[in-house]
Amino acid sequence: MDQHTVLRVEGICKKLDGKTILDNCSLTVNRGELKVLIGPSGAGKSTLLQSINCLIPPDSGEIYLEGCQLDRTDKVALCAFRTQVGMIFQDFNLFDHLTAEANVAIALRKVRGMKADEARSRAQEELARVGLARRTQLYPAQLSGGQKQRVAIARALAMDPKVILLDEPTSALDPELVGEVLAVIRDLASGGMTMVMATHQMDFARALATEILFMERGRIIEQGAPNVLLAEGSGTRTRDFCQRLLEMGA
Ligand SMILES: Nc1ncnc2c1ncn2[C@@H]1O[C@H](COP(=O)(O)OP(=O)(O)O)[C@@H](O)[C@H]1O
Ligand SMILES: [Mg+2]
């Protein structure tokens, strides 16, 4: 294994209700890379991201974190793995009855066993990092979608993850709020965070992806640098898909 490889996923397959959802998906993510998953709705992007941390257990395939193969049958190992692999969902998944600070602190207390004071101050630090220093005492209902997503990112960061998986983190947001969340993700990328992100934000992907993975019908059918896959005249499915998004005004 390359010493810079953080996450390696090998030959993931998944069937649901007898239908093939993931067909032999493999990917490698090196330290500091941002891999962007693109593809039509229903291609399997969410299923792939969720199989990587076994929220949806794959039928077959192997997952390696820093060269160590995950034993999915070992609950302790799976728990440890999940703390190191952050997950950001489209719809934030915050606890509505907890403040922003408590949403971040609860993981630090439960998973890291931190004392309340320590967890609170670490939560404040992480919230400041995503531009929410003055919003720590607000509840999700008092925050905009963009702010909620930034709380979710702060919560993931608080675990010191080795890699973060982001599943269309801006698709549930009003258009004017997309930018603030992308700005946070861009800062993470430039700070060297390792990430895999499903998105339809093609400008973002073009500017920041180390590599684009194009998925269709459960398979990764194209893979390459954005300037290669999206080049005019490249004749790639990725380029074609991107053009169609533009035509639809997405
Ligand atoms: N629980 C489920 N049972 C059966 N089929 C599912 C289930 N969840 C997702 N699917 C199907 O899996 C395919 C991939 O879905 P998904 O991973 O959500 O795609 P994407 O994120 O690329 O839009 C779709 O055809 C969807 O209908
Ligand atoms: Mg999806």
Side-chain angles (χ1 to χ4, degrees):
M1 183 206 67
D2 187 302
Q3 60 174 331
H4 299 301
T5 298
V6 176
L7 179 72
R8 191 156 72 84
V9 173
E10 200 64 60
I12 295 277
C13 296
K14 181 73 187 176
K15 278 190 183 179
L16 287 168
D17 301 334
K19 187 179 155 214
T20 298
I21 310 291
L22 297 177
D23 182 6
N24 200 21
C25 291
S26 300
L27 61 104
T28 299
V29 195
N30 295 320
R31 188 158 302 129
E33 284 189 327
L34 168 61
K35 299 259 164 152
V36 170
L37 270 180
I38 305 268
S41 183
K45 304 179 295 295
S46 297
T47 310
L48 177 58
L49 291 174
Q50 290 183 62
S51 339
I52 292 175
N53 70 2
C54 298
L55 289 173
I56 299 176
D59 298 333
S60 56
E62 283 92 50
I63 295 156
Y64 300 84
L65 188 67
E66 295 189 325
C68 295
Q69 185 175 350
L70 170 66
D71 176 358
R72 298 194 281 271
T73 62
D74 179 343
K75 284 207 169 124
V76 175
L78 191 55
C79 262
F81 176 87
R82 285 185 179 142
T83 68
Q84 300 176 82
V85 179
M87 184 90 202
I88 301 293
F89 300 92
Q90 197 170 320
D91 52 1
F92 331 123
N93 281 17
L94 297 178
F95 292 116
D96 289 331
H97 65 291
L98 297 179
T99 61
E101 182 188 280
N103 263 285
V104 180
I106 193 171
L108 290 164
R109 296 186 63 186
K110 297 236 187 262
V111 180
R112 291 264 184 259
M114 271 190 192
K115 296 224 166 65
D117 280 359
E118 197 188 348
R120 206 175 301 134
S121 85
R122 175 74 194 265
Q124 284 168 5
E125 263 171 51
E126 294 301 345
L127 287 164
R129 196 169 158 192
V130 298
L132 293 173
R134 292 166 53 201
R135 303 262 186 313
T136 60
Q137 302 313 311
L138 299 182
Y139 288 85
Q142 300 170 301
L143 297 168
S144 71
Q147 291 165 344
K148 282 189 266 203
Q149 191 58 295
R150 287 188 280 150
V151 173
I153 293 172
R155 181 179 54 183
L157 291 173
M159 297 291 105
D160 294 318
K162 295 196 161 123
V163 53
I164 302 183
L165 314 176
L166 303 103
D167 189 7
E168 299 200 30
T170 62
S171 359
L173 303 178
D174 290 333
E176 73 274 20
L177 303 177
V178 168
E180 67 189 58
V181 171
L182 291 182
V184 166
I185 299 167
R186 190 183 57 223
D187 287 350
L188 292 179
S190 52
M193 182 61 75
T194 309
M195 295 182 276
V196 184
M197 173 173 167
T199 188
H200 290 271
Q201 297 290 326
M202 292 307 300
D203 289 339
F204 181 86
R206 188 192 293 271
L208 288 161
T210 322
E211 204 169 48
I212 289 178
L213 311 176
F214 184 82
M215 249 186 120
E216 197 171 61
R217 292 192 207 97
R219 299 177 63 188
I220 296 169
I221 59 167
E222 284 175 358
Q223 181 166 351
N227 60 354
V228 175
L229 286 191
L230 295 170
E232 206 182 328
S234 59
T236 58
R237 291 284 296 114
T238 310
R239 161 109 188 153
D240 186 43
F241 176 74
C242 180
Q243 287 299 113
R244 269 188 282 159
L245 279 185
L246 280 175
E247 283 158 22
M248 292 187 311

